[in-house]
Amino acid sequence: CGTNWGWFAYDPGTNLVYYGSGNPAPWNETMRPGDNKWTMTIWGRDLDTGQAKFGYQKTPHDEWDFAGINFMMLSEQKDKDGKERKLLTHPDRNGIVYTLDRTDGTLISADKIDDTVNVFKKVDIKTGLPVRDPEYGTRMDHLGKDICPSAMGYHNQGLDSYDPTKELFFLGVNHICMDWEPFMLP
């Protein structure tokens, strides 16, 4: 499991606490096969029992050190049908802004912060899985150039806010890309 070293949010109406788990280790992705469950995951846990109500893994097998612990913004907004919903919005270091129904963890949207995000082509809303672009991977046999975002992430640990009157989110972003050259040490 990835550790939590970031922000928590609490909804007294659902009695759930929300937080993100960090990245897997070591950074060398070839040394740890699989999805590395439950790293890079948005969690909703019952405050009284500690029981997980849901977990949504944003970046299975994170190979860029995106450490998904960023701020969890809670809001209530109307969906496309005009129904009021309790939402959790999480701008992640991986360059994607995720919105989930915070009562059950259903993925509502997953959109790139901007068009320069290239590690993922998109997030498949039906499966919740990111569609990777292998050109921007960090595997041992590949020199990755202009990988966006960098390990710093497009959104790091800064605090965010939501203005319910204007129905707008405010967050700071980094616009930093990187090259990645893996090599073996004796």
Side-chain angles (χ1 to χ4, degrees), residues 32 48 60-61 73 78 81 85 108 127 143 152 162 177:
R32 49 173 175 79
D48 294 329
H61 192 79
M73 292 184 282
K78 291 184 179 170
D81 299 324
R85 290 184 88 164
I108 305 294
T127 66
L143 172 60
M152 174 76 70
Y162 174 69
C177 300

Side-chain angles (χ1 to χ4, degrees), residues 33-151:
D35 286 344
N36 309 128
K37 296 271 189 202
W38 293 95
T39 61
M40 300 296 300
T41 298
I42 296 173
W43 292 97
R45 287 190 182 272
D46 184 281
L47 185 64
D48 294 329
T49 67
Q51 185 75 27
K53 176 132 187 204
F54 65 82
Y56 168 68
Q57 189 178 32
K58 301 163 291 173
T59 309
H61 192 79
D62 174 28
E63 55 188 287
W64 304 274
D65 184 42
F66 287 145
I69 55 80
N70 292 359
F71 200 65
M72 305 286 169
M73 292 184 282
L74 306 183
S75 66
E76 294 188 20
Q77 299 180 50
K78 291 184 179 170
D79 64 16
K80 294 174 187 168
D81 299 324
K83 179 184 170 196
E84 194 78 17
R85 290 184 88 164
K86 289 179 163 249
L87 301 176
L88 177 153
T89 300
H90 172 81
D92 198 67
R93 282 174 55 178
N94 72 8
I96 307 293
V97 177
Y98 297 89
T99 299
L100 283 68
D101 182 312
R102 73 177 187 254
T103 64
D104 62 11
T106 300
L107 180 63
I108 305 294
S109 66
D111 300 303
K112 292 181 179 185
I113 288 177
D114 72 33
D115 290 338
T116 61
V117 172
N118 61 20
V119 295
F120 304 124
K121 295 177 181 181
K122 66 177 185 169
V123 174
D124 183 320
I125 293 297
K126 289 183 181 169
T127 66
L129 296 173
V131 178
R132 284 174 152 78
D133 187 331
E135 182 63 28
Y136 303 103
T138 65
R139 62 195 178 276
M140 285 300 294
D141 63 345
H142 177 70
L143 172 60
K145 293 264 197 195
D146 296 318
I147 297 170
C148 301
S150 73

